[in-house]
Amino acid sequence: MEKITFTKEHTYSGSLILVTPEFSLGRIRDRLSLQSIFPNPEMKAPFLPRVSSQPDILLEKQAAEALQGLLADIGCKDEIVAVSGFRTQGEQEKIWEESMAQNGEIFTRKFVAVPGHSEHQSGYAIDLAENSPKIDFICPRFPYRGIFQRFRERMADFGFVERYAALKEGITGIGAEPWHFRYVGYPHSVIMTHEGMALEEYIGFLKNDTGWGRPYIFREAGNWVEITYLSLENNNTRILDVPEGASYQASGTNEGGVVLSLWRETA
């Protein structure tokens, strides 16, 4: 048995963190820097050569590698380009202020996150566009056809979801954004896509319907994954025993909990 320990600090990091109008970067922002997110900021790593020729478009390393794999899988050459990845607080403030001045408050609040509440500041979000001479930075075009639709059809297997889907505005607090994709990791992306859940709904489902000893079971060829929400809202420490032969991943949610995923091989 391997013992793993979770504390309140673990709730502020990982691919499932909520960054929303209700949940700010808060403690996450205190932990974010190019040095902490990207092992070698001097080399602008991770750089996305298949997405953009701009070395300043960055993602968290695991998300960047998954995106590169996804684009290679669909045979993308230069049809898809990156518009925006990781942003600093200052960059988000500039985007917010410029949109308020150019587009007004109603448009800005619909399509631009308040500084400190943007997924782009987490390093797990990417805006993509159809490659064309003129690309709208705030609302880039990413149609539901051709290679763009193939991207959507394959993205869940690589850990991505279309974060702000139509008809989910009342849940996410953000207008539909067909260009904005979020890395949440596998198999969470597959479950969310299959069940039609926004990230808020998925975290809520795990929080209400799972717990230590009563996980959600995701089955795949040769093994299964036990997914469990662990509450750390009262600053309590959780020490758990991982069964022998099981591997695990964990992510904080930024709203008081951690999601633990245990991989087991079938007998």
Side-chain angles (χ1 to χ4, degrees), residues 67-135:
L67 181 58
Q68 289 175 341
L70 171 53
L71 292 167
D73 179 81
I74 64 173
C76 178
K77 294 180 173 57
D78 60 359
E79 302 96 329
I80 297 173
V81 295
V83 177
S84 184
F86 170 75
R87 300 173 188 163
T88 65
Q89 175 74 3
E91 288 170 337
Q92 187 66 25
E93 289 173 354
K94 182 180 179 182
I95 292 168
W96 173 268
E97 292 166 3
E98 289 179 351
S99 181
M100 288 287 279
Q102 296 171 11
N103 305 310
E105 182 175 356
I106 294 176
F107 176 94
T108 300
R109 289 192 177 277
K110 184 176 181 180
F111 293 112
V112 181
V114 174
H117 294 256
S118 172
E119 285 198 329
H120 284 284
Q121 293 178 254
S122 74
Y124 288 104
I126 185 83
D127 287 349
L128 301 175
E130 178 180 15
N131 195 357
S132 65
K134 187 176 182 180
I135 297 174

